[in-house]
Structures are given as C-alpha cells and as structure tokens.
Amino acid sequence: MSGMASDHNNSSQEGYIPHYLQKEDPFASKLSREADIIAGFYLTIIGILSTLGNGYVIFMSSKRKKKLRPAEIMTVNLAVCDLGISVVGKPFSIISFFSHRWMFGWIGCRWYGWAGFFFGCGSLITMTAVSLDRYLKICHLSYGTWLKRHHAFICLAIIWAYATFWATVPFAGVGSYAPEPFGTSCTLDWWLAQASVAGQAFVLSILFFCLLFPTAVIVFSYVKIILKVKSSTKEVAHYDTRIQNSHILEMKLTKVAMLICAGFLLAWIPYAVVSVWSAFGRPDSVPIQFSVVPTLLAKSAAMYNPIIYQVIDCKFACCRSGGLKAKSSLRKSRTYTISAHRDSTAMNETQLE
C-alpha cells in the first residue's frame, strides 16, 4: 500500500485521489454479497465453458497440426489466448467474488491485471493479423499466394512480443495496474490520466496501439473484403471446381474471422467506453454497480469463439455433404443413362440381325 501511495504522490499533489487511495482497504467489495455471489457463479460458468471449448479447439487442431492453413494457425493462437485468460485469470476473480473481497493483495492484483491485458492484447492483435491475411488472400491474390505456414509462425512471434511489450510497459514506471472501483478485480490504472500529463500520454498510447489502431485495421480489411466479394462472386462461378472449392474454403475462414472479431469487439467496447470515461471524464460519476457490468461482459469474450467455430464448421460440413450427395446422384444418373443407352443399342443390333 505504501508503494502504491508513493507511486501516486503526483496525483495527490494535483488534488485528485484515485478510488484505491481514498480508503484503507481498496480490495473490499463495494457490491452487495448477493451481487458478488451472482457474479461469481456467472464467471464460473463462463470459465468452464471457455476452458472446455477452447481446449477442444486446440485438441482437435493438434490432430491435424501439419495440415493447418496460416489462417487456421492464427485461430488456434486465438484459442490459446482465450484459454490462457480462462485458466490463469478467471480463478482469481471467481475466488474474490465468492469471498466478497480481492484475496490476493497488490502482487496478485498486478499479476491479474498483467495477465488480463497480455492475453486480451494478444487476442486483438491475432484478430488483426487474421483480418490482414484474409484481406491479402481475397483482395490481392498476387500477395496472398506466397503467404505460407512459416510466415504464420513469424507472425505469431511478433504478436506475442507485441503483447508482452505493452503488458509489461506499466511495470517500467510509466503506468500501473490497480483494483477496479468495485474492489474484486484489477485492471490497467486508467485513473492515472486524471493525475498528470504523463498519465494521459500512457493511457492514450495504450488506447491507440492496443485498441484503436488494431480495430481500424480490422474494419478496413473486412470492408474491403465485403466489397471485393460482391464484385467477384459472378466471376468465380465461371472457374473450374478446384478453384471454386478453394474459394468456398477461403470464404468459410473469412466468415469465422469476421464473427470472431465482431464478438470480441461487442464484448469489449462497453468496457473500453467506461475505461475512457474513467481516464478522461468524471470517474466518480460512473456508478459502481454499473461499472461491474462491462467488466463481466468483457470476461465472456473468450467463450464465444469455440461456439463460432462449431456453428460455421457444422454449416460448412452440411453444405459439403449436400454437395457430395448431389455429385453422387449425378454419377448415378449418368451411369443409368449410359447403361440404358448401351441396352437400347444392343437391342437394335439384335433386331437387325
């Protein structure tokens, strides 16, 4: 506690005191015990479903790891990020909600904040890389054709380095991790922006490089893809079956990526809005009971992706099986026609004889 107080002397000098320095116990829950229990059960369900779903995705992908396409490698990395936050982070908050207070002190708070930001940033940057891969494969075929598996692994190394850098920057003295206003969870110290210009620069850097810029790249990529697909759908119909099948698979991967990005952003945007308001607006004007809702919604993001994988895969499998049935029936009809033609020819020959 004394360490945190020394870190925020400037904020006291400026007249603003963040919520975690206003009271002796910043980790005591500000919610009712009933609300904490409900939140604890909610996170338990989310954590179990997320762990099982993402674990299943990783397990099934490991069976065909040598056949994974670059975009599929990226989606596996996204499942790793979601599984990481479910296994590493959620138990801390679940125990704290059921205990009606944060149970792990400042060290646990910093660790939990770091892990949440690390895996969250990793997820968003992975989706950014996937959107660029889809954009190149569909809109710029000359570039997309040389993207191979080893490029995907190089991209993974860049993603993990990027997430590690931004998650660790607060420990260099330019930022921090702090408890949420409701007390039973921790996050980036958005309230530093209320204290000094340096705090504002830190928060703005985080917002730009870890939210706004990646989101802009994702939106740009999928808007261009949608426009390209609308203009080229008729052209693909004239290609041979092999090219059509390849196009169908690419579009399937694109649909998966688009739905994943949409689910992630919808889950995190409310939390981002509340965080920005806490940084640059009037943080005390956000009711504590309201501030917990965006946090819980953001924590559910890791559960959506396995559901999206399965829905798209089932739909794709149904379409593929339908196509196989159609081909089978076509072969049968051709066989019947050929055999009937042969029979009629034989009968004509007999009559002539």
Side-chain angles (χ1 to χ4, degrees):
M1 184 68 184
S2 59
M4 291 302 297
S6 62
D7 290 340
H8 295 278
N9 283 337
N10 291 335
S11 64
S12 300
Q13 293 173 0
E14 295 291 337
Y16 174 76
I17 301 177
H19 64 275
Y20 50 84
L21 295 180
Q22 294 177 6
K23 298 181 180 180
E24 294 183 359
D25 188 0
F27 299 123
S29 176
K30 312 304 186 299
L31 303 174
S32 65
R33 186 171 292 276
E34 292 77 13
D36 276 335
I37 292 175
I38 293 173
F41 276 115
Y42 168 81
L43 288 180
T44 300
I45 295 172
I46 293 296
I48 292 174
L49 293 177
S50 175
T51 301
L52 294 177
N54 288 291
Y56 174 77
V57 170
I58 296 171
F59 173 73
M60 294 303 294
S61 299
S62 66
K63 288 187 172 182
R64 50 186 296 269
K65 57 185 177 182
K66 293 183 179 180
K67 298 180 180 180
L68 292 177
R69 301 162 68 90
E72 293 174 313
I73 293 173
M74 292 296 175
T75 54
V76 172
N77 188 65
L78 187 60
V80 171
C81 291
D82 292 338
L83 183 64
I85 191 59
S86 299
V87 173
V88 175
K90 280 189 173 61
F92 286 80
S93 54
I94 290 171
I95 293 171
S96 297
F97 274 114
F98 280 125
S99 301
H100 198 50
R101 63 172 288 107
W102 179 258
M103 297 296 293
F104 306 99
W106 280 107
I107 295 177
C109 182
R110 293 188 182 100
W111 161 250
Y112 178 84
W114 181 90
F117 186 43
F118 172 73
F119 288 114
C121 182
S123 295
L124 184 57
I125 303 304
T126 299
M127 286 184 283
T128 305
V130 170
S131 69
L132 286 174
D133 174 79
R134 300 292 84 211
Y135 171 71
L136 292 174
K137 285 287 179 65
I138 294 175
C139 298
H140 298 281
L141 295 178
S142 59
Y143 292 97
T145 52
W146 62 263
L147 289 173
K148 306 300 181 183
R149 283 169 55 93
H150 66 274
H151 295 116
F153 290 114
I154 293 172
C155 189
L156 290 184
I158 295 173
I159 290 170
W160 288 111
Y162 192 92
T164 301
F165 173 79
W166 285 107
T168 310
V169 160
F171 294 128
V174 296
S176 184
Y177 294 99
E180 300 268 15
F182 50 88
T184 48
S185 182
C186 293
T187 185
L188 275 169
D189 193 347
W190 302 104
W191 302 270
L192 282 175
Q194 298 281 345
S196 63
V197 175
Q200 293 176 0
F202 163 72
V203 171
L204 287 173
S205 298
I206 291 292
L207 287 173
F208 179 79
F209 289 104
C210 300
L211 179 62
L212 297 179
F213 179 69
T215 302
V217 172
I218 290 171
V219 172
F220 168 81
S221 298
Y222 289 125
V223 168
K224 297 294 285 186
I225 288 171
I226 291 171
L227 295 176
K228 180 66 175 181
V229 169
K230 285 185 177 180
S231 64
S232 63
T233 301
K234 294 181 180 179
E235 298 176 5
V236 175
H238 298 291
Y239 296 154
D240 60 32
T241 304
R242 183 179 60 83
I243 296 177
Q244 289 181 9
N245 290 339
S246 177
H247 179 75
I248 291 172
L249 179 57
E250 295 295 344
M251 290 310 303
K252 174 217 170 186
L253 294 174
T254 303
K255 289 179 181 179
V256 170
M258 291 178 69
L259 288 174
I260 288 172
C261 292
F264 184 89
L265 293 176
L266 288 175
W268 279 94
I269 283 176
Y271 180 78
V273 171
V274 172
S275 299
V276 170
W277 184 255
S278 299
F280 301 102
R282 296 174 54 196
D284 296 335
S285 65
V286 180
I288 292 177
Q289 292 76 9
F290 176 77
S291 66
V292 71
V293 176
T295 302
L296 295 178
L297 180 62
K299 293 179 186 297
S300 68
M303 180 187 68
Y304 305 146
N305 297 341
I307 298 174
I308 294 172
Y309 299 147
Q310 294 307 310
V311 170
I312 297 294
D313 280 342
C314 289
K315 182 179 178 181
F316 183 69
C318 290
C319 294
R320 186 168 52 188
S321 63
L324 290 175
K325 289 179 181 178
K327 290 180 181 178
S328 177
S329 63
L330 182 60
R331 290 194 191 98
K332 288 180 181 179
S333 64
R334 287 178 177 174
T335 304
Y336 176 78
T337 302
I338 293 171
S339 62
H341 177 70
R342 286 175 177 172
D343 292 343
S344 62
T345 303
M347 291 177 64
N348 289 335
E349 290 175 352
T350 303
Q351 290 174 358
L352 290 172
E353 291 174 357

